[in-house]
Amino acid sequence: MATPFKRSALTLLATSLAASALFSTGAQAEGKISIAQQFGIGYLILDVVRDQNLIEKHGKAQGLDIKVDWNSISGATAMNEALLTGSLDVVSAGVPPMLTVWDRTKGKQNVKAIAALGSMPNYLLTNNPNIKTLKDFTDKDRIAVPAAGVGFQSRTLQIETAKEFGDAQYKKFDDISVSLPHPDATAALIAGGSEINSHFSSPPFQYQALQNPNVHKVLSSYDVLGGQATFNVLYTTEKFHDENPKTYKAFYDALAEAEKIIKADKPAAAQAYIRVEQSKLPLALVEQIVKDPEIDFTVVPQRTFIYAEKLQELGVLKNKADSWKDYFFEEAHGGAGS
């Protein structure tokens, strides 16, 4: 049975580092899979997979008894380290961190994405009434993000900063960005009085923060990307993909079934989120988020290629992708992705 999520950021970091030392043995044998996710409703597809034991179900359909190890880690940097040291088989993060590790492992571990986990906006929020646009931020402000400089929120901010201030200035706000897990950043933003006065957030935390009258939205990731776009993805190494075909297929089929389950009964999906995440959020708020027309829980990637193009133009990525299919494994190629 899966163990409950650990909530302490320090405990999570210590756990991930210890795992790196103890389990750096590469991809596991067929019939085992270790998966890590971060915090938030952006991981609802995984929550449903876990709640309904869908990997085990699809494994049995292939005559395979799959052992699933669920882990929780905050931040893309820790995710990528755990994947590359062999501590984990499958990790999850925003599109930019996945592209970074795809770029750096090309011709070596050949990391690629497995599937999208859904399209949803991420909001840049602040409790500073003087900040209306990016141009209003000063050196005195501090923006909390899960992985400063490299995570989804930071890379999205860098793309918009390049648009506003020129490509040479794309890292302009890195110096005032602070790495902090979403739950902690949300608490700081709502409480006020700390150096953290802004937060590039994600669902459900951004909606929770916006219930406070002192918090307002400065920017949406959808503004940057020109519409509905994938927030986070799952990814793994070529070794795990190639050496565990039945386990991989069971996992992918489980993700696809979870998407259908969510779309068929969103209130039930909201309940699954609260159960698996042990969330204290009101069920009504979670249901509202799951039903939000801006959000689409789908395994099909949307607008990911914008990141691949822009980050390569900025010099963040060395390798140029010809299409989104270059950095997704072939199982995902059947959908109308982008």
Side-chain angles (χ1 to χ4, degrees), residues 170-248:
Y170 82 95
K171 288 187 175 181
K172 178 179 174 66
F173 296 114
D174 284 13
D175 289 342
I176 64 168
S177 296
V178 178
S179 295
L180 200 63
H182 283 312
D184 297 337
T186 302
L189 193 68
I190 291 173
S194 75
E195 68 168 3
I196 305 294
N197 64 0
S198 304
H199 176 206
F200 211 140
S201 190
S202 72
F205 306 105
Q206 61 198 26
Y207 303 109
Q208 185 182 10
L210 283 169
Q211 290 181 331
N212 185 298
N214 295 324
V215 176
H216 67 272
K217 179 172 71 173
V218 179
L219 182 73
S220 167
S221 60
Y222 281 7
D223 299 332
V224 181
L225 300 168
Q228 199 168 68
T230 295
F231 168 32
N232 46 21
V233 292
L234 293 157
Y235 48 107
T236 189
T237 60
E238 184 179 57
K239 180 178 175 68
F240 182 79
H241 172 271
D242 291 354
E243 293 184 359
N244 303 275
K246 289 184 178 181
T247 304
Y248 189 95

Side-chain angles (χ1 to χ4, degrees), residues 74-85:
S74 178
T77 302
M79 283 285 186
N80 288 346
E81 288 174 357
L83 179 66
L84 296 179
T85 58

Side-chain angles (χ1 to χ4, degrees), residues 3 38 58 70 74 83 95 102 109 111 130-131 144 151 153 169 174 176 183 187 224 242 265 275 286 315 321:
T3 55
Q38 299 187 56
H58 286 278
W70 293 97
S74 178
L83 179 66
V95 176
W102 163 78
Q109 296 102 320
V111 170
N130 298 319
I131 298 175
Q153 291 80 9
Q169 295 292 313
D174 284 13
I176 64 168
V224 181
D242 291 354
D265 193 342
R275 276 196 302 273
V286 177

Side-chain angles (χ1 to χ4, degrees), residues 70-325:
W70 293 97
N71 301 269
S72 183
I73 297 175
S74 178
T77 302
M79 283 285 186
N80 288 346
E81 288 174 357
L83 179 66
L84 296 179
T85 58
S87 306
L88 295 167
D89 298 315
V90 175
V91 298
S92 53
V95 176
M98 178 275 296
L99 285 169
T100 299
V101 75
W102 163 78
D103 182 59
R104 292 177 181 174
T105 63
K106 193 172 175 64
K108 294 176 283 188
Q109 296 102 320
N110 291 321
V111 170
K112 291 185 182 181
I114 299 167
L117 284 173
S119 295
M120 57 190 61
N122 279 221
Y123 296 161
L124 174 57
L125 306 175
T126 186
N127 59 22
N128 183 343
N130 298 319
I131 298 175
K132 306 298 182 186
T133 71
L134 285 188
K135 293 179 179 178
D136 297 324
F137 281 97
T138 71
D139 291 342
K140 294 180 180 179
D141 298 302
R142 292 293 180 269
I143 304 171
V145 290
V150 297
F152 174 90
Q153 291 80 9
S154 280
R155 293 301 190 196
T156 303
L157 183 57
Q158 287 170 357
I159 289 173
E160 185 65 15
T161 302
K163 205 184 300 180
E164 290 284 340
F165 300 94
D167 287 359
Q169 295 292 313
Y170 82 95
K171 288 187 175 181
K172 178 179 174 66
F173 296 114
D174 284 13
D175 289 342
I176 64 168
S177 296
V178 178
S179 295
L180 200 63
H182 283 312
D184 297 337
T186 302
L189 193 68
I190 291 173
S194 75
E195 68 168 3
I196 305 294
N197 64 0
S198 304
H199 176 206
F200 211 140
S201 190
S202 72
F205 306 105
Q206 61 198 26
Y207 303 109
Q208 185 182 10
L210 283 169
Q211 290 181 331
N212 185 298
N214 295 324
V215 176
H216 67 272
K217 179 172 71 173
V218 179
L219 182 73
S220 167
S221 60
Y222 281 7
D223 299 332
V224 181
L225 300 168
Q228 199 168 68
T230 295
F231 168 32
N232 46 21
V233 292
L234 293 157
Y235 48 107
T236 189
T237 60
E238 184 179 57
K239 180 178 175 68
F240 182 79
H241 172 271
D242 291 354
E243 293 184 359
N244 303 275
K246 289 184 178 181
T247 304
Y248 189 95
K249 184 180 189 308
F251 182 50
Y252 190 85
D253 290 348
L255 297 170
E257 183 178 356
E259 174 187 337
K260 292 178 182 177
I261 289 171
I262 294 168
K263 289 181 174 176
D265 193 342
K266 291 183 177 179
Q271 291 175 358
Y273 171 80
I274 287 178
R275 276 196 302 273
V276 175
E277 298 272 351
Q278 298 179 0
S279 174
K280 303 299 183 186
L281 290 175
L283 177 60
L285 175 60
V286 177
E287 281 190 24
Q288 180 185 341
I289 295 166
V290 176
K291 293 177 180 178
D292 190 327
E294 278 197 311
I295 296 176
D296 182 15
F297 292 100
T298 175
V299 297
V300 178
Q302 297 178 319
R303 287 186 166 86
T304 66
F305 194 59
I306 293 173
Y307 282 108
E309 283 187 309
K310 296 296 184 184
L311 294 178
Q312 199 271 335
E313 288 174 9
L314 292 172
V316 174
L317 304 178
K318 294 179 181 178
N319 292 289
K320 183 177 175 62
D322 292 325
S323 83
W324 67 274
K325 293 182 179 180

